C-alpha cells in the first residue's frame, strides 16, 4: 500500500465514522477520538498479557498475531485522530517523522 493509499483509507474511515456516529460538536468528536486511542492501547496490553499467559485465571488467551493486530489498530486509530485534528495529517505526520528520524539517527546517534 502506498502512502497515498494509506491516507486515502484513513480519510475514508474518518468519513465513515462521521456518518455512523451520532452528530456531536467538533471538539467533543476530537476528544472522543483521543479516548478511543487509549482504549486501543489497552487492548494491546490485554493481548500481550494474554499471549504471555500472565493472567492465571485466563492462561494463554491471545497470540502474538493478536498483539500485531492490536498494534495495527492503535496506528489506524492514531491516524484517524490526527486527521480529525488536522486535515493535512499526511504532511503533519511526514514532517514529524522526519524530525524524529533526524534527531534519533543524526550524526550524534549511537
Amino acid at each position: 500500500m502506498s502512502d497515498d493509499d494509506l491516507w486515502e483509507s484513513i480519510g475514508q474511515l474518518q468519513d465513515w465514522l462521521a456518518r455512523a456516529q451520532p452528530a456531536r460538536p467538533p471538539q467533543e468528536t476530537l476528544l472522543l477520538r483521543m479516548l478511543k486511542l487509549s482504549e486501543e492501547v489497552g487492548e494491546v496490553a490485554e493481548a500481550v498479557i494474554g499471549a504471555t499467559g500472565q493472567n492465571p485465571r485466563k492462561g494463554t488467551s491471545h497470540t502474538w498475531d493478536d498483539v500485531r493486530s492490536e498494534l495495527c489498530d492503535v496506528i489506524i486509530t492514531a491516524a484517524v485522530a490526527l486527521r480529525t485534528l488536522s486535515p493535512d495529517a499526511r504532511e503533519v505526520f511526514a514532517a514529524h517523522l522526519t524530525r524524529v528520524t533526524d534527531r534519533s539517527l543524526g550524526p550524534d546517534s549511537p
Side-chain angles (χ1 to χ4, degrees):
M1 174 178 278
S2 73
D3 184 56
D4 289 341
D5 293 340
L6 177 130
W7 287 103
E8 178 65 27
S9 294
I10 295 300
Q12 291 172 353
L13 288 168
Q14 183 191 11
D15 293 344
W16 168 75
L17 284 170
R19 290 189 312 273
Q21 295 176 329
R24 300 186 189 284
Q27 190 70 15
E28 187 176 334
T29 298
L30 180 60
L31 292 174
L32 289 170
R33 292 280 192 296
M34 301 305 149
L35 287 175
K36 180 66 177 170
L37 185 54
S38 294
E39 177 188 20
E40 294 297 340
V41 169
E43 291 176 9
V44 171
E46 180 182 12
V48 169
I49 289 167
T52 58
Q54 293 303 300
N55 184 335
R57 187 175 52 81
K58 293 182 181 179
T60 303
S61 58
H62 291 75
T63 66
W64 289 104
D65 283 340
D66 295 325
V67 175
R68 283 187 279 276
S69 205
E70 295 300 344
L71 285 168
C72 289
D73 287 348
V74 169
I75 294 167
I76 293 165
T77 302
V80 169
L82 180 60
R83 193 168 184 281
T84 302
L85 180 63
S86 301
D88 58 342
R90 175 194 326 229
E91 293 79 14
V92 169
F93 181 77
H96 188 75
L97 181 58
T98 297
R99 283 191 302 276
V100 169
T101 302
D102 290 348
R103 179 182 67 222
S104 300
L105 302 177
D108 297 330
S109 71

